[in-house]
Amino acid sequence: MSSNSSSGELHRALDWKGAFWVAAGVPPLVLFSIGGIAGVAGQAAFVVWILSMCMGFLQSFTYAEMAGMFGNKSGGASIYGATAWLRYSKSIAPLSVWCNWFAWSPVLSLGCAIAAGYILNALFPIPGADSQVVLDWVAANLANYTETTQAVVDYMAANAGVTAADAITAVATTDAVSALTPTIRVWEAYALSIPGLGTLHFNSTFVIGALLMLIIFAIQHRGIASTASAQKILAVIVLIPLFLVGIVPILTGSIDMMNVSQIVPPSVAYGGDVGSWNIGGWTLFLGAMYIAAWSTYGFETAVCYTAEMKNPATDTFKAIFFSGLLCIVFFFMIPFSFQGVFGAAGMLEPGIVDGTGVGAALSSMVSSSNVIVQIFIILMIMALFLAIMTAMAGSSRTLYQGSRDGWLPKYLSRVNEHGAPTNAMWTDLGFNLFLLALASDAGGYFYVLAISNVGYLTFNFLNLNAGWIHRIDSGHVHRPWKAPTFLIGLNTVLAFVNALFLGAGAKVWGYENALWSGVVFAALILPVFWFRHYVQDGGKFPPEALEDLGLTNGDLGERKAGIKPYLALALGAAIVLWANWFFVLPG
């Protein structure tokens, strides 16, 4: 396939190994939420990661089969599965694609927010309360505090039983940390509150994160082959040390088995104590499964590049299968070793929960050397780059193909001379600058994650059902690799399990209305699609949209599955609503 910017086509420049390396940014996603999942799942956290990874691996076989059916498309599983729904509702196809995109795209903003935190911690550290500079400041200024100082009075009122001397020391220490904190750490140019959504913070985290995004954009601007080469180098540098961190504690006997036994959720989220398997406990566990899916299912991005593969008939299955095996190693081992060394309570340190302290924690699992700590912090920033590169490559191609197929705005289908979908990449960038401002404080970080995952599990539900719909409606279409029928059936069951996670889990992350915020955001695509399809395209899809299924001239094909797809939608919606009502957080 020849390609240039005028024809708007991607370049076939990739083999399965290249796609594998592009998807190699998925294992570091474990670091995005390892602390958060420990907070809500407690002792059961590592089990959550293992179960979620097993589900992701099984589900990928349905996606691998569908990917082989569409050798001329890019954009990933959501594109391939969306075509199955076109016969039954034109609106569901763009909804599936949109949900997949707004689930993947925030990796850019969240990753850049964490990376910015690492850079700020390295260059402009906030002094610890027990550091020498703080102790010196307290010693020099302690005489300025008495038991009648207002801050001391307030501290004693809030902490019954504390002595005046201890209160004075505590207040002076707090003031010392504030006085010695570099100005850049508290600098904020502007904060904009958006009712019903959150607050946009244009601060130092935002500025550094935006610069990192632009660097990644520049790398990807040169096309998929260039991206794959950069990813290969990054992956080798990052994944080998990450593997060692996981395996060394197991080999050296550093795992405390008490930390990985008594598999029960905590009594309350971030409580650090042992709870029970009551409704509240199950709600926390399902909330952990909900957010883990965002990371563990992510290697399905390996089939985003079908139209850029030299031999898609054989390469698509290899790419997703070996990417899945790679993820199994990391998602099984890292959470187990991490929890085994630190324990569920130890993983609740603020730096681990927000991601900025994970590098130091990982390094401590293999060495106490300050040099090793600094090396791991650099590796963490590179790991985040790896994940962000994967996300931008995959999510931009989802926008590109959605535009080519008539579901998303036309301007997204333009590519540059290197075969990179630049308009889609600029759209990704703009959207994520907005999300970066929202995620530039700890509260906004998990809000973005919780809402984006509403889209991800919605996409997974629709796509796993698309597997059996394609079998019924397009059974005649050649499949270079065909999944065992029992796996298609099992993955259909898992679609409804994902619906359960969605209904029960979205509320766990501190935002009672996260589910509904995600639903509203998902619905935003409908007027965009209606304008593109009915106004610009006159109610017809482009000829190439369905050519892989042998359908032309706007023919959507016979609805051989009858009412079954509608019944699946109704059952899925019922499970989400029931789970959202039945499962409640522990009081």
Side-chain angles (χ1 to χ4, degrees), residues 191-326:
L192 176 65
S193 181
I194 301 179
L197 183 63
T199 302
L200 306 183
H201 296 275
F202 297 95
N203 53 19
S204 51
T205 298
F206 174 84
V207 171
I208 295 172
L211 290 173
L212 296 177
M213 270 193 220
L214 288 169
I215 292 170
I216 290 164
F217 182 95
I219 294 171
Q220 301 220 351
H221 192 266
R222 296 191 59 80
I224 194 64
S226 173
T227 300
S229 298
Q231 285 284 90
K232 182 177 181 179
I233 295 168
L234 271 177
V236 171
I237 294 172
V238 167
L239 295 182
I240 291 176
L242 197 58
F243 175 80
L244 292 175
V245 164
I247 199 71
V248 166
I250 296 173
L251 297 178
T252 59
S254 301
I255 303 294
D256 182 348
M257 295 309 295
M258 290 296 292
N259 291 337
V260 288
S261 57
Q262 198 177 2
I263 308 301
V264 287
S267 58
V268 293
Y270 299 97
D273 53 351
V274 174
S276 61
W277 288 107
N278 53 20
I279 290 178
W282 274 107
T283 303
L284 293 174
F285 183 80
L286 293 174
M289 291 293 293
Y290 166 79
I291 217 73
W294 185 80
S295 301
T296 55
Y297 299 0
F299 68 95
E300 45 86 10
T301 190
V303 293
C304 270
Y305 316 100
T306 309
E308 294 165 278
M309 288 179 173
K310 299 170 184 174
N311 187 5
T314 58
D315 286 349
T316 48
F317 175 75
K318 290 179 182 178
I320 195 169
F321 180 74
F322 287 107
S323 296
L325 291 181
L326 178 74

Side-chain angles (χ1 to χ4, degrees), residues 509-562:
W509 297 89
Y511 307 95
E512 185 178 344
N513 296 318
L515 173 61
W516 307 116
S517 296
V519 170
V520 169
F521 196 87
L524 293 178
I525 193 58
L526 297 179
V528 175
F529 165 70
W530 291 331
F531 177 78
R532 166 71 197 268
H533 185 64
Y534 292 106
V535 177
Q536 291 187 311
D537 293 346
K540 291 185 179 296
F541 291 102
E544 68 184 77
L546 297 170
E547 64 183 2
D548 293 283
L549 299 179
L551 301 173
T552 56
N553 301 320
D555 177 23
L556 297 180
E558 181 186 352
R559 297 180 181 178
K560 297 178 185 176

Side-chain angles (χ1 to χ4, degrees), residues 71 96 98 137 172 198 238 272 294 381 444 491 547:
S96 176
W98 174 253
W137 190 98
V238 167
W294 185 80
I381 295 172
N491 289 337
E547 64 183 2

Side-chain angles (χ1 to χ4, degrees), residues 10 57 176 314 325 336 364 478 539:
L10 303 170
F57 190 64
T314 58
L325 291 181
F336 175 79
S364 71
H478 174 63

Side-chain angles (χ1 to χ4, degrees), residues 32-48:
F32 278 52
S33 50
I34 193 167
I37 286 177
V40 299
Q43 292 283 98
F46 80 95
V47 176
V48 166

Side-chain angles (χ1 to χ4, degrees), residues 132-218:
Q132 192 58 50
V133 289
V134 169
L135 296 177
D136 292 344
W137 190 98
V138 170
N141 293 275
L142 198 60
N144 297 330
Y145 297 85
T146 69
E147 40 184 291
T148 59
T149 302
Q150 188 58 50
V152 175
V153 172
D154 293 343
Y155 186 89
M156 293 178 71
N159 298 272
V162 71
T163 65
D166 287 343
I168 289 171
T169 301
V171 170
T173 300
T174 301
D175 288 351
V177 172
S178 297
L180 296 169
T181 296
T183 304
I184 193 172
R185 298 301 298 268
V186 294
W187 173 81
E188 184 167 76
Y190 187 65
L192 176 65
S193 181
I194 301 179
L197 183 63
T199 302
L200 306 183
H201 296 275
F202 297 95
N203 53 19
S204 51
T205 298
F206 174 84
V207 171
I208 295 172
L211 290 173
L212 296 177
M213 270 193 220
L214 288 169
I215 292 170
I216 290 164
F217 182 95

Side-chain angles (χ1 to χ4, degrees), residues 212-451:
L212 296 177
M213 270 193 220
L214 288 169
I215 292 170
I216 290 164
F217 182 95
I219 294 171
Q220 301 220 351
H221 192 266
R222 296 191 59 80
I224 194 64
S226 173
T227 300
S229 298
Q231 285 284 90
K232 182 177 181 179
I233 295 168
L234 271 177
V236 171
I237 294 172
V238 167
L239 295 182
I240 291 176
L242 197 58
F243 175 80
L244 292 175
V245 164
I247 199 71
V248 166
I250 296 173
L251 297 178
T252 59
S254 301
I255 303 294
D256 182 348
M257 295 309 295
M258 290 296 292
N259 291 337
V260 288
S261 57
Q262 198 177 2
I263 308 301
V264 287
S267 58
V268 293
Y270 299 97
D273 53 351
V274 174
S276 61
W277 288 107
N278 53 20
I279 290 178
W282 274 107
T283 303
L284 293 174
F285 183 80
L286 293 174
M289 291 293 293
Y290 166 79
I291 217 73
W294 185 80
S295 301
T296 55
Y297 299 0
F299 68 95
E300 45 86 10
T301 190
V303 293
C304 270
Y305 316 100
T306 309
E308 294 165 278
M309 288 179 173
K310 299 170 184 174
N311 187 5
T314 58
D315 286 349
T316 48
F317 175 75
K318 290 179 182 178
I320 195 169
F321 180 74
F322 287 107
S323 296
L325 291 181
L326 178 74
C327 287
I328 283 176
V329 171
F330 283 92
F331 285 110
F332 277 30
M333 189 169 60
I334 297 295
F336 175 79
S337 292
F338 208 84
Q339 184 173 326
V341 171
F342 294 104
M347 293 166 71
L348 300 182
E349 290 291 327
I352 294 178
V353 173
D354 69 19
T356 59
V358 172
L362 288 173
S363 67
S364 71
M365 292 165 66
V366 293
S367 172
S368 59
S369 165
N370 283 333
V371 174
I372 299 297
V373 171
Q374 296 307 313
I375 289 173
F376 263 87
I377 288 173
I378 294 170
L379 286 173
M380 277 297 297
I381 295 172
M382 295 177 74
L384 293 166
F385 259 66
L386 191 65
I388 297 163
M389 292 262 287
T390 294
M392 182 177 276
S395 60
S396 61
R397 279 153 181 81
T398 300
L399 291 179
Y400 162 84
Q401 192 64 51
S403 174
R404 290 288 296 258
D405 287 349
W407 301 332
L408 302 180
K410 283 187 174 183
Y411 82 95
L412 294 169
S413 60
R414 183 192 176 278
V415 302
N416 67 5
E417 67 275 12
H418 303 293
T422 44
N423 281 7
M425 288 163 61
W426 278 116
T427 301
D428 248 355
L429 189 71
F431 176 65
N432 274 279
L433 286 174
F434 173 82
L435 290 185
L436 181 62
L438 187 61
S440 288
D441 73 334
Y445 176 89
F446 277 106
Y447 188 44
V448 170
L449 192 54
I451 289 179

Side-chain angles (χ1 to χ4, degrees), residues 430-496:
F431 176 65
N432 274 279
L433 286 174
F434 173 82
L435 290 185
L436 181 62
L438 187 61
S440 288
D441 73 334
Y445 176 89
F446 277 106
Y447 188 44
V448 170
L449 192 54
I451 289 179
S452 72
N453 207 41
V454 172
Y456 198 49
L457 289 188
T458 301
F459 142 73
N460 273 283
F461 174 82
L462 293 172
N463 242 48
L464 291 171
N465 279 291
W468 63 263
I469 296 174
H470 270 313
R471 281 282 184 99
I472 295 173
D473 285 341
S474 303
H476 63 286
V477 176
H478 174 63
R479 290 155 168 79
W481 184 85
K482 192 171 184 178
T485 302
F486 84 90
L487 261 184
I488 297 291
L490 175 60
N491 289 337
T492 303
V493 174
L494 293 183
F496 295 96

